[in-house]
Amino acid sequence: MIRPLLILRLLTMPCLWISLVQLVFAELSFMLFKDRVGDAFFVPALTTFMLALPLLFAFQKYPLPSVNVREAMLFASLTWLVVGILGAIPIINVTHVSFTDGVFESISALTTTGATILSGLDNMPPSFLMYRQFLQWMGGLGVVIFVVAILPMLNIGGMRLLKAETPGPIKDDKLSPRVSSTTRYLWMVYLSITVLCAIAYYLAGMSLFDAIGHSFTTVSTGGFSTHDASMGYFDSRLILWICNLFMVLGAINFALHYRVYIARSIKLYWQDEETHGFVWIITVVALLLALFLLQSRSEEGVWNAITQAFFHVISFITSTGFAATDFGAWPAVTSIVLIFVGYIGGCAGSTAGGNKVIRNIISLKSISMEVKRLVHPNGVFTMKFQGRRISDDVRHSVMGFMCVAAMVTVFFTVLLMMTGMSFMASLSATAACLNVLGPGFAELGNNFSPLSDTGTWLMSFAMILGRLEYFTVLVLFLPALWRH
């Protein structure tokens, strides 16, 4: 049974949070940047606050019981939609884009997709650019996880919210007996890596503004930049390799980061099967791509080819979506390779998108086990991951997820083609939004502005669908969910 008043009361918290964020950026515009767009933040912030706060107090008389599975999934989905719409208002006020494009840009930021309909970023107000960057950082570990972290009263049902929000097939691994403590630990790790990234960027030659802004979108694997040329603006190999390091850190399980910190042992990274496989995939694909770029003369110089190959493979596999050159001008096969690694994705429990490395490993092991059963029909086989037996439930859910990912990709690609986009543009846009990746190809090589309004709404929905890993959203369309 779904309790509407409970959902409404829960939604007041992310609404109050986004209003607070906008109020802070209004003050930054007035007091620090002095770029005269403070009202674009202040008016929607005050309006949202004035509406949400009375609702919060109005429902105080209703006890806040445990959140059930249905309510957790509905709350997670509605949070991204509601915050996406509220976050769009300053974007619309500053850039004067349509409501459709503003919501797309906001959802792209919050889901850390990085797809954009904007151009001319270099000339936009600094407070707006930093707001756009911060939305990605805020969405990195999820608005819902933030809500669980600051609401100890949700601790009984908090794990249900955490499961609905957290990417990955295995979600019962807690750092603390209390869910609110677990999420606070994750945010501490997230903040620490972001600070280190900003310092590294600044020391490598970025301005303080760019260093902070790009640290937000690197660690969150979001990919927004304060410049139209993205990371290519800085023309620095050192910055690209620093970016590589922190994109990888953002795409590794944050619970593993915490355990490495507690144990003071970096060897835990290599002992983790998923992280081990993740690094190997990056290394092999990037080296092969570098050889191809040299052979096709797409990039000159061995070191430059290696740098560009590693940067773009990492950018796509982590679903960050930064660019350092016009990779759309590379041979067509490279586009397929980059889209493919985007589907592989990062590690579960990270800010990265895609299908996640753990699912790919389990899928390959499942296929291998089925082949062995064909050869040895009477044999007894056990599949393990990280030394632990993988239950049939997890194996079946992983294979189901991979099938759904493939079918949804085909579905959205066909729908986009029906709006008039080419096959390559439709496929790359679908892959970019479902994997919360960002860059497109063909007509969408520069940005997503060529999309029709229908296509833009489709891709906005695809971003939320991909961010919540399909099932959390798709289950809302089942009539059985709404039956008492």
Side-chain angles (χ1 to χ4, degrees):
M1 179 180 175
I2 292 176
R3 293 157 289 185
L5 291 178
L6 173 62
I7 299 298
L8 189 59
R9 183 179 177 188
L10 292 176
L11 284 173
T12 59
M13 293 308 297
C15 290
L16 289 171
W17 169 245
I18 191 68
S19 68
L20 177 62
V21 168
Q22 291 171 350
L23 185 61
V24 168
F25 277 93
E27 291 301 313
L28 288 175
S29 177
F30 289 134
M31 306 299 295
L32 179 63
F33 297 116
K34 302 183 187 301
D35 51 17
R36 301 182 180 181
V37 293
D39 287 339
F41 297 102
F42 183 75
V43 174
L46 185 61
T47 303
T48 302
F49 185 84
M50 297 279 288
L51 291 174
L53 193 62
L55 283 176
L56 182 66
F57 284 110
F59 295 135
Q60 267 192 329
K61 61 182 180 180
Y62 296 101
L64 199 60
S66 172
V67 179
N68 63 42
V69 175
R70 299 179 182 188
E71 291 164 341
M73 291 185 288
L74 180 60
F75 173 66
S77 301
L78 286 178
T79 295
W80 289 105
L81 179 61
V82 171
V83 177
I85 292 172
L86 294 175
I89 300 174
I91 296 174
I92 296 168
N93 290 342
V94 173
T95 63
H96 306 295
V97 296
S98 67
F99 176 75
T100 297
D101 286 344
V103 172
F104 176 87
E105 192 78 13
S106 177
I107 291 177
S108 178
L110 288 163
T111 58
T112 71
T113 303
T116 182
I117 46 83
L118 299 178
S119 58
L121 296 174
D122 300 79
N123 300 316
M124 289 188 177
S127 58
F128 169 74
L129 292 175
M130 189 61 76
Y131 169 73
R132 193 168 163 267
Q133 303 293 101
F134 184 79
L135 284 182
Q136 288 209 315
W137 188 81
M138 184 176 76
L141 276 184
V143 177
V144 176
I145 289 184
F146 172 81
V147 171
V148 178
I150 64 170
L151 283 180
M153 68 185 80
L154 284 181
N155 193 55
I156 298 174
M159 181 50 72
R160 293 193 180 97
L161 293 179
L162 197 62
K163 285 182 178 181
E165 169 65 17
T166 308
I170 303 173
K171 308 185 183 188
D172 292 313
D173 198 11
K174 295 190 288 185
L175 303 179
S176 165
R178 294 180 63 86
V179 177
S180 55
S181 299
T182 297
T183 54
R184 279 195 288 270
Y185 291 148
L186 294 177
W187 273 99
M188 285 167 53
V189 172
Y190 191 49
L191 178 61
S192 301
I193 296 176
T194 304
V195 171
L196 291 174
C197 182
I199 292 172
Y201 276 150
Y202 182 72
L203 294 177
M206 280 190 184
S207 67
L208 183 61
F209 177 84
D210 279 336
I212 294 173
H214 285 85
S215 70
F216 286 156
T217 57
T218 302
V219 178
S220 67
T221 62
F224 272 169
S225 176
T226 54
H227 305 282
D228 285 326
S230 191
M231 282 295 179
Y233 172 86
F234 303 101
D235 193 23
S236 168
R237 289 178 187 167
L238 175 59
I239 286 177
L240 294 188
W241 283 103
I242 290 172
C243 187
N244 284 343
L245 172 62
F246 285 98
M247 283 191 293
V248 169
L249 289 176
I252 291 175
N253 192 318
F254 277 77
L256 178 60
H257 288 317
Y258 183 76
R259 293 189 180 96
V260 168
Y261 170 74
I262 295 298
R264 301 291 195 274
S265 175
I266 201 170
K267 287 190 290 187
L268 291 180
Y269 286 124
W270 199 246
Q271 292 169 1
D272 182 77
E273 188 174 349
E274 185 180 26
T275 305
H276 184 101
F278 179 55
V279 173
W280 269 113
I281 292 169
I282 290 173
T283 304
V284 171
V285 175
L287 289 176
L288 290 175
L289 181 59
L291 287 173
F292 180 77
L293 292 177
L294 285 170
Q295 186 182 28
S296 62
R297 299 184 181 276
S298 300
E299 295 291 339
E300 297 295 332
V302 175
W303 182 238
N304 183 57
I306 290 175
T307 299
Q308 293 293 344
F310 267 90
F311 178 79
H312 287 94
V313 167
I314 292 173
S315 180
F316 272 72
I317 199 171
T318 61
S319 76
T320 308
F322 280 137
T325 188
D326 183 14
F327 55 81
W330 290 351
V333 67
T334 60
S335 302
I336 302 300
V337 171
L338 293 176
I339 290 174
F340 173 73
V341 297
Y343 270 98
I344 293 175
C347 300
S350 72
T351 62
N355 293 339
K356 304 297 184 296
V357 174
I358 185 174
R359 287 197 181 97
N360 289 281
I361 292 174
I362 291 174
S363 296
L364 289 174
K365 288 186 175 184
S366 294
I367 294 170
S368 175
M369 190 169 70
E370 293 304 322
V371 171
K372 289 177 182 177
R373 281 178 175 168
L374 286 175
V375 178
H376 305 285
N378 297 321
V380 177
F381 303 97
T382 301
M383 189 169 67
K384 292 185 177 181
F385 181 85
Q386 199 65 23
R388 294 185 294 180
R389 181 181 177 275
I390 296 294
S391 69
D392 287 340
D393 287 345
V394 170
R395 187 164 66 90
H396 293 155
S397 68
V398 166
M399 299 307 291
F401 178 94
M402 301 298 269
C403 289
V404 168
M407 288 190 294
V408 170
T409 297
V410 173
F411 179 71
F412 276 102
T413 300
V414 171
L415 287 180
L416 272 190
M417 290 177 67
M418 291 172 65
T419 67
M421 305 302 294
S422 69
F423 170 73
M424 192 60 195
S426 300
L427 175 62
S428 64
T430 299
C433 293
L434 288 177
N435 295 313
V436 292
L437 169 57
F441 294 94
E443 302 100 295
L444 306 178
N446 292 324
N447 59 36
F448 278 60
S449 59
L451 284 176
S452 65
D453 282 356
T454 301
T456 303
W457 281 111
L458 282 172
M459 291 300 96
S460 294
F461 177 70
M463 287 187 283
I464 296 176
L465 192 63
R467 180 63 176 83
L468 292 175
E469 299 201 323
Y470 306 113
F471 293 112
T472 300
V473 178
L474 292 178
V475 75
L476 299 180
F477 295 93
L478 295 177
L481 182 77
W482 304 96
R483 294 184 190 135
H484 294 292

